[in-house]
Amino acid sequence: MLIKRKRGWELPEQAATPEAAFLNRRQLAKGLAAGSILFAGGALFSSRAKAAAASADPTADLYPVKTNDSYKIDRALTDKKHALTYNNYYEFGTHKGISQLAQKLETRPWTVLLDGMVEKEQIVDVDTLIRAMPLEERLYRHRCVEAWSMTVPWSGFPLAALVDYAKPLSGAKFVRMETVVQEETMPGLRSSWYPWPYVEGLTMAEATNELTFIATGLYGEPIAKQNGAPLRLVTPWKYGFKSIKSLVRFTFTDQRPVGFWEEIQGSEYGFWANVNPEVSHPRWSQAYETVLGSNERVPTLLFNGYGDYVADLYKGMEGEQLYL
Ligand SMILES: Nc1nc2c(c(=O)[nH]1)N[C@H]1C(S)=C(S)[C@@H](COP(=O)(O)O)O[C@H]1N2
Ligand SMILES: [Mo]
């Protein structure tokens, strides 16, 4: 018999409400129920299947990569099994238990389009790109707008290196990023009320900040599909919805991109989305976060603790909604 036990990080509804709750609460309730069943399945996801997936990855030989020790962390690393089975990836469903379903994602062949305001548009094979980039491992915190957090070792490269590779024109002010659209593998795309594809954007200053990272690996292996294989943005000072998965396109532009969540509900999920415990989400407080895989609730920090790296980016922008 399957006995449903509440895990510590499964928050009571009033403590945190998933991003899309306002859309359809009934659908959400169904999703959560399904998620808890799938979660059990996800934990059983066999190591053999994982090994097979890893050996199929043409970049697997690159891992583990050398850790960059400048990015110190004062928290315990999240258990790999939690980071790989408690996910947000709406293309596969609106609940957290999509890790098995996401194995259908076809990550090879995979090309990345670099276009817009660039010297010359390029289409790059992802393996060529990954091998051309300076790979390193960084331990970063991740704070979801739903008030849960994790601390994980990403492998990858600074987005700044990809910006150099793309050779943007001087007039480019933003990078717009797009997730793959795979109708055959992504059941969530059938929910046509969502503004697919998932899009996110950064200013050029944010994109080239040293913290801004493109993850190609996680826990010393190629990044798992559910975590956004083969390329996934990581901006640790912003709420997690900015960290767009499975990237196929980087467009340099002088127009501020409208993100997936901003388009759905701009009053709740803005362009900037910087973490700030003092600015509540319209429907819940952001003061604390529950640490994934534990019962711990810890205070949330301004810029998720990364103010030394990024606070200067927002000087003189007090009129902007920087924290939503
Ligand atoms: N394409 C895409 N990227 C996405 C999402 C998504 O639904 N689709 N969810 C975002 C949200 S809300 C979070 S918190 C993180 C979750 O990443 P994880 O599953 O690796 O923890 O991915 C972000 N990137
Ligand atoms: Mo999130």
Side-chain angles (χ1 to χ4, degrees), residues 19 88 142-146 148 239-241 261:
E19 271 99 336
N88 271 334
H142 171 96
R143 171 56 159 82
C144 174
V145 73
E146 296 164 348
W148 56 268
Y239 290 115
F241 68 87
W261 286 107

Side-chain angles (χ1 to χ4, degrees), residues 10-87:
E10 288 180 321
L11 305 175
E13 264 177 71
Q14 64 275 26
T17 311
E19 271 99 336
F22 65 90
L23 271 181
N24 185 337
R25 284 180 183 276
R26 280 225 334 275
Q27 179 210 20
L28 175 79
K30 277 196 293 191
L32 287 176
S36 54
I37 294 160
L38 280 177
F39 187 97
L44 294 174
F45 182 51
S46 82
S47 54
R48 215 165 24 142
K50 265 188 265 175
S55 67
D57 187 308
T59 58
D61 61 292
L62 295 171
Y63 304 91
V65 297
K66 199 176 178 312
T67 304
N68 182 337
D69 292 316
S70 343
Y71 302 98
K72 300 250 184 301
I73 223 86
D74 58 353
R75 292 201 186 165
L77 274 194
T78 299
D79 228 347
K80 178 178 165 187
K81 69 168 189 279
H82 298 313
L84 269 69
T85 56
Y86 185 87
N87 301 103

